[in-house]
Amino acid sequence: MATVVQEEPATAAQTQRRINLFVWELPVRVTHWVNVTSILILSITGYFIASPPVFATTTTFLGIPGTATFMLGTIRFTHFVTAFVFTISVLYRLAWAFVGNQYARWDQFLPVRRYRRQDMRRMLRYYTFFRREAPPQIGHNPLAGMAYVALYVLFAVQIFTGFALYALAFRTGFWPFAFGWVTHLFGAPGVRMVHDLVMYLIIAFTIHHVYSAILIDMEERSGLVSSIVTGTKALTPESVAQITSQEALARQPRARRKAARLPRGKAEADAGEVRPVDGQ
Amino acid sequence: MASPREDQLAQGVWPALRRRGVSRREFLKFCSVMAGALALPHTYADRIVQALEAATRPAVVWLEFQDCAGNTESALRASHPSITDMILDLLSWNYHETIMAPAGTAAEKSLQDTIAQQKGQYLAIVEGSIPLADGGVYCTIGGRTAIDIAQETCGNALATIAVGTCAAFGGIPAAAGGITGAVSIGQAVPGLKLINLSACPMNGANLAATIVHYLTFKELPATDNLGRPLFAHGDRIHDNCPRRAHYDAGQFVQEWGDQGHQLGWCLYKMGCKGPATNYNCPRVQWNDGTNWPIGVGHGCVGCAQPQFWDAMTPFYRQLPTVPGFGVEVTAQDVGIGVAAAVGALTVGHAVVAGVRNARTARATNQATAASGNATIAVPTNETQTTEGQS
Ligand code: HEM
Ligand code: SF4
């Protein structure tokens, strides 16, 4: 991992000693960026399928003669090809949730552990300004994890409705067999409407997602934003120690975990209200 | 003494046609048209000719329940080389409320006689949906409920043909708000040997072709997963539409009567449901192959699809409106609204967080200045690298 050399005038938080942790494995990063690219392409082409442009007077598009004569055809073709790429990427990431490292696993997304549920509440308080510090995390914070579950539900809806619309073009065989029921349930226009609506929900998610990534990065100075390119986050030793002890405690058998647990109020305080790291 | 073969021919389809003055030429033309309607290679016309010459006319009873007789009209109006005559003569019509001579008890007797004497040999054609609510009282004929008649008549038939979307899928009586508990014949009497000729109304040519298929191959045509014959419902309107090139080019009618409308552009933006509808309208057409809805500049309303009255409305809009919002609110409006709301929340949050951060920073600076003990530490160059895997 690259050594970070600080050159700008440093604030207290920045000058903290940092530990570089390898968090996001290659498949996690690759599927992330494939998703970003394909959602971008699918949203642009999808928008034009929903509101087709009218080329009343010209057969020329972008200066290339004849292109406009198959404009929507090309847009739809692009949408379909990208849809397959997107679907494969989503399935790959889902599978990786069962074989990947600790930070890619399914239990990062569903708050099955008690300390993750606690962190989720802290995170909620942080976002609603009832708390100054976001609880430190190596992987996803549990609230974000839940947001990704919601996102994947939207993906599933988009994939099922998308393939149901795709199946309309086939008389028999796999596509109508596998996805025809979606159309029979809601009727094709209903499926279209949902497919259209969910695009905007995904866009809404993206707005929130990019903002929180930047916000938390500014808070933690952990290189969160660049971590989805490099795979590495830089955390303070104190944060890492705190997380490691939380995780170790969570791995203990239930009885010992109970004995070791501090009274509720105190545990709260220990786990982050009073942090060893200076706030900026 | 006539030979058995001559006997058969005498009662067959072809002699019946001849008695009605159909010329040999018209008969052959009809057989070719049927081969075309069934999407068979033209060489099959021969087989159809032979089959129809040899076939005896199957008895048919045509039941009308919650219907508008539109399919009856459609079957009788069909008139390729007079498909009407052909349909009338392909079959031995034992019962049909709209066109039969007997009335009242005599009419019901024809039905009972057919069921009793030709059990398992006659075709039942059902038009209209069947109400099940309140014991089926919303449609009774001769004192019997539709479901009762359907169970007896279709249950004893060789096969049942549902004509029109009401019989095939429940149709308009089954649309939201209906109180009669209307269902299709397939739902009302499960387990029938059934073929669904949906559309509102179904095209008479498709009924003739289904019967010709049956007479020629001794079986009902292959169907899709909704029980509709593939020859009629296998293809999407959108994929056979003469306006499709305009769709692909992005040339749309934007307003009734605008320049695009006059030029015959695609009707998608005017609510055409061709992309969601499977029917052979573009090929078979209506009124002697004169024209069809999209041909005259009106969008497809998707009448051949299940629940079209609910699922395909509003007919003149590209997409349905989002339930729970006003009638003028589209999915795009709602979606953009949600995205904008999230955007506004985000900006709001960023402003609050920014103000807070600025305050904290000032407080820290003051505290540091007061203690006179600035802790601008030397940036550290030693960073550890650890594998996150534990
Ligand atoms: C992030 C993912 C996706 C987004 C944002 C998206 C967006 C859209 C939008 C806005 C439309 C226009 C809907 C309308 O008619 O008003 C559309 C149409 C469509 N999408 Fe997607 N889509 C996505 C994924 C998929 C997937 C996975 C498939 C699977 C094949 C798919 C297949 C289709 C099809 C077949 C149509 C209809 C095209 C037509 O009318 O000819 N989409 N999409
Ligand atoms: S008019 Fe309707 S069926 Fe024809 S191309 Fe346009 S949308 Fe498709």
Side-chain angles (χ1 to χ4, degrees):
Chain A
M1 276 335 117
T3 318
V4 184
V5 182
Q6 304 273 9
E7 286 182 348
E8 340 72 81
T11 67
Q14 279 168 326
T15 51
Q16 277 287 328
R17 224 168 64 88
R18 295 276 162 169
I19 301 177
N20 274 358
L21 290 168
F22 179 63
V23 184
W24 314 124
E25 296 157 298
L26 192 62
V28 173
R29 285 173 283 150
V30 169
T31 51
H32 176 271
W33 289 110
V34 171
N35 287 354
V36 171
T37 323
S38 46
I39 288 172
L40 191 69
I41 297 174
L42 286 165
S43 300
I44 294 169
T45 52
Y47 176 80
F48 284 121
I49 296 168
S51 317
V54 176
F55 297 103
T57 51
T58 174
T59 56
T60 303
F61 180 69
L62 295 176
I64 312 162
T67 10
T69 53
F70 200 64
M71 197 60 213
L72 198 56
T74 311
I75 290 172
R76 290 175 62 243
F77 179 74
T78 311
H79 193 84
F80 302 158
V81 171
T82 316
F84 277 88
V85 173
F86 173 68
T87 306
I88 291 168
S89 170
V90 166
L91 290 177
Y92 192 87
R93 181 62 186 86
L94 278 178
W96 198 255
F98 295 91
V99 293
N101 75 11
Q102 182 188 350
Y103 307 106
R105 286 190 89 78
W106 63 272
D107 60 4
Q108 284 268 301
F109 301 94
L110 298 171
V112 286
R113 294 194 190 287
R114 190 171 189 278
Y115 80 90
R116 305 260 317 155
R117 284 195 294 276
Q118 277 176 351
D119 266 5
M120 192 161 105
R121 284 191 291 274
R122 290 188 190 115
M123 207 61 208
L124 249 169
R125 291 219 304 281
Y126 166 77
Y127 272 123
T128 45
F129 299 110
F130 288 111
R131 178 189 161 99
R132 181 61 192 84
E133 303 286 331
Q137 306 290 340
I138 297 179
H140 299 299
N141 81 64
L143 195 63
M146 287 295 280
Y148 301 142
V149 171
L151 181 67
Y152 266 67
V153 169
L154 294 181
F155 284 175
V157 171
Q158 209 63 341
I159 288 169
F160 272 94
T161 52
F163 278 105
L165 291 173
Y166 189 66
L168 291 176
F170 299 87
R171 48 159 53 191
T172 50
F174 176 74
W175 299 112
F177 170 77
F179 297 100
W181 59 271
V182 183
T183 319
H184 300 155
L185 225 54
F186 306 108
V191 171
R192 233 170 236 289
M193 189 253 285
V194 171
H195 197 73
D196 205 3
L197 196 57
V198 170
M199 172 174 85
Y200 291 100
L201 299 187
I202 293 175
I203 291 173
F205 169 86
T206 311
I207 295 172
H208 145 81
H209 177 68
V210 171
Y211 169 68
S212 0
I214 295 173
L215 180 73
I216 304 293
D217 198 356
M218 285 169 63
E219 205 71 74
E220 290 181 341
R221 300 275 166 200
S222 60
L224 177 64
V225 171
S226 47
S227 74
I228 196 61
V229 179
T230 62
T232 315
K233 276 201 211 174
L235 293 175
T236 59
E238 291 84 352
S239 303
V240 175
Q242 190 188 325
I243 297 158
T244 325
S245 71
Q246 265 183 339
E247 282 170 0
L249 190 60
R251 268 194 297 276
Q252 298 279 325
R254 204 182 162 76
R256 254 199 283 165
R257 211 157 69 207
K258 232 173 174 167
R261 203 182 289 140
L262 296 164
R264 197 182 163 82
K266 186 134 190 309
E268 286 276 313
D270 269 12
E273 300 299 6
V274 182
R275 292 247 317 228
V277 183
D278 288 345
Q280 13 161 284
Chain B
M1 227 354 242
S3 73
R5 163 101 179 128
E6 279 167 350
D7 259 358
Q8 192 194 8
L9 282 182
Q11 313 164 12
V13 172
W14 165 232
L17 290 170
R18 216 168 36 187
R19 275 199 298 278
R20 284 181 58 96
V22 173
S23 72
R24 181 74 185 168
R25 187 180 169 78
E26 279 173 332
F27 175 62
L28 294 181
K29 262 167 75 180
F30 170 76
C31 292
S32 312
V33 167
M34 287 296 109
L38 287 167
L40 293 169
H42 72 98
T43 45
Y44 273 82
D46 253 6
R47 247 184 101 170
I48 292 173
V49 170
Q50 283 165 20
L52 293 195
E53 278 175 350
T56 48
R57 302 189 304 155
V60 62
V61 298
W62 182 305
L63 305 172
E64 290 185 67
F65 297 127
Q66 286 182 308
D67 74 323
C68 65
N71 294 282
T72 298
E73 285 288 337
S74 179
L76 299 181
R77 287 277 172 277
S79 63
H80 221 276
S82 186
I83 289 181
T84 313
D85 289 344
M86 304 294 175
I87 292 180
L88 287 175
D89 293 313
L90 282 172
L91 304 164
S92 164
W93 294 81
N94 290 8
Y95 182 87
H96 188 315
E97 283 175 21
T98 308
I99 58 171
M100 71 198 299
T105 317
E108 296 312 306
K109 186 169 179 303
S110 321
L111 180 61
Q112 287 309 322
D113 286 352
T114 308
I115 297 172
Q117 289 158 21
Q118 305 201 38
K119 199 170 158 138
Q121 288 164 18
Y122 62 91
L123 288 173
I125 298 179
V126 179
E127 177 175 7
S129 57
I130 295 170
L132 294 184
D134 303 326
V137 295
Y138 296 109
C139 178
T140 62
I141 299 161
R144 293 176 68 192
T145 60
I147 176 70
D148 187 22
I149 299 172
Q151 265 160 355
E152 188 189 13
T153 314
C154 301
N156 289 310
L158 173 66
T160 303
I161 302 175
V163 293
T165 301
C166 296
F169 304 124
I172 294 169
I179 54 156
T180 64
V183 297
S184 68
I185 177 68
Q187 287 169 297
V189 191
L192 292 176
K193 188 171 174 195
L194 174 71
I195 192 153
N196 286 326
L197 298 185
S198 68
C200 192
M202 59 98 215
N203 196 316
N206 290 332
L207 176 62
T210 303
I211 293 164
V212 165
H213 188 284
Y214 181 74
L215 294 178
T216 308
F217 302 106
K218 305 286 175 271
E219 61 181 51
L220 292 172
T223 58
D224 67 3
N225 52 8
L226 294 170
R228 306 177 299 182
L230 283 174
F231 74 80
H233 296 273
D235 293 331
R236 221 169 25 144
I237 297 220
H238 190 53
D239 295 333
N240 283 313
C241 178
R243 298 184 185 228
R244 176 59 182 265
H246 294 296
Y247 173 88
D248 286 333
Q251 295 175 324
F252 297 94
V253 178
Q254 310 239 66
E255 231 177 89
W256 299 118
D258 69 3
Q259 197 202 5
H261 202 204
Q262 290 165 25
L263 291 171
W265 284 357
C266 169
L267 295 154
Y268 187 61
K269 287 192 172 187
M270 303 311 287
C272 178
K273 302 297 185 292
T277 309
N278 301 69
Y279 207 37
N280 56 0
C281 256
R283 270 184 282 129
V284 176
Q285 309 203 344
W286 297 84
N287 300 331
D288 260 339
T290 306
N291 215 331
W292 63 302
I294 290 174
V296 296
H298 186 285
C300 165
V301 298
C303 72
Q305 300 306 107
Q307 280 75 52
F308 82 100
W309 202 262
D310 294 328
M312 300 295 176
T313 44
F315 290 146
Y316 298 105
R317 272 181 183 255
Q318 191 184 321
L319 286 183
T321 49
V322 185
F325 291 86
V327 288
E328 290 299 321
V329 184
T330 65
Q332 216 163 51
D333 297 339
V334 175
I336 291 174
V338 170
V342 171
L345 272 175
T346 305
V347 171
H349 196 280
V351 169
V352 177
V355 169
R356 178 196 59 187
N357 289 358
R359 272 207 203 133
T360 331
R362 213 177 315 128
T364 328
N365 283 346
Q366 277 165 5
T368 340
S371 70
N373 177 16
T375 48
I376 305 297
V378 182
T380 171
N381 281 350
E382 34 160 349
T383 38
Q384 263 169 272
T385 303
T386 326
E387 281 296 311
Q389 185 77 324
S390 56

